[in-house]
Amino acid sequence: TTGSTYLATTNGNVGIGTTSPAFKLQVSGGQILLDNNNYYSGYRTDGVAVGLLGVATDNFTAIQSSGASYGVKIRSAASGDLVTVLNTGNVGIGTTSPANKLSIASNSHIAVDIDAGGGGVAALYFKAAGTNKYQMYWDNSNLKLRYNPSSLDIVTFATDGNVGIGTTTPSSLLD
């Protein structure tokens, strides 16, 4: 004990800043700095390193699996697996086996919000080889499907229920 700094051992537990640690390592009243190449490594009980947490050289916080066949999961004690990232780059929300770059699964309602906030255009882009092919977007008055290489709106869904094919101002149910 030095001033208000404590290093204590109790029943095999180690405490820093506490005299009664309840866990194998308990740090109270401050932050932890791990200075080993900026990563914290996690190990399974068989000694195999399975994950890293730290700051990458590009100044991003990195959560990284340490094996070529490992992925990364975000879990909740209440709900189990929430997000799964496979070693292929596929991301699953609500599924642990995403078959595509983004797979979303649920036993109930699924919604995806795209909010341009205050007057911007909310859009989904469909690309091939990095080139925009189609775009579905809300222009603050109508939902439109656009063929992007020519910037041609091919279908317009107006808020009054009218649908225009080849026109951006449909005047009847199907125009």
Side-chain angles (χ1 to χ4, degrees):
T1 303
T2 304
S4 62
T5 303
Y6 304 101
L7 176 60
T9 58
T10 305
N11 299 324
N13 297 336
V14 176
I16 300 173
T18 178
T19 57
S20 54
F23 301 96
K24 289 294 178 191
L25 175 60
Q26 182 174 343
V27 179
S28 297
Q31 299 176 350
I32 300 172
L33 170 65
L34 301 172
D35 192 7
N36 62 340
N37 206 16
N38 297 322
Y39 281 96
Y40 162 77
S41 297
Y43 293 86
R44 296 190 317 216
T45 56
D46 60 4
V48 175
V50 293
L52 303 170
L53 173 65
V55 179
T57 56
D58 56 5
N59 293 326
F60 282 87
T61 299
I63 300 172
Q64 175 181 325
S65 62
S66 60
S69 62
Y70 299 142
V72 174
K73 290 188 178 187
I74 298 174
R75 291 187 168 143
S76 159
S79 303
D81 294 333
L82 301 174
V83 178
T84 300
V85 181
L86 299 181
N87 62 339
T88 60
N90 291 358
V91 176
I93 299 173
T95 178
T96 58
S97 53
N100 297 294
K101 287 299 175 189
L102 178 60
S103 296
I104 301 172
S106 175
N107 291 329
S108 61
H109 178 78
I110 295 178
V112 176
D113 290 326
I114 300 174
D115 185 350
V121 174
L124 286 174
Y125 292 90
F126 300 89
K127 297 180 177 187
T131 302
N132 288 339
K133 295 296 182 183
Y134 288 92
Q135 173 184 0
M136 182 179 289
Y137 70 101
W138 174 256
D139 68 358
N140 292 309
S141 59
N142 298 302
L143 180 65
K144 297 181 178 184
L145 179 62
R146 171 178 280 180
Y147 180 64
N148 256 0
S150 65
S151 296
L152 173 67
D153 290 329
I154 54 178
V155 180
T156 299
F157 301 91
T159 56
D160 61 5
N162 292 343
V163 177
I165 299 175
T167 179
T168 59
T169 55
S171 58
S172 59
L173 286 178
L174 183 58
D175 193 359

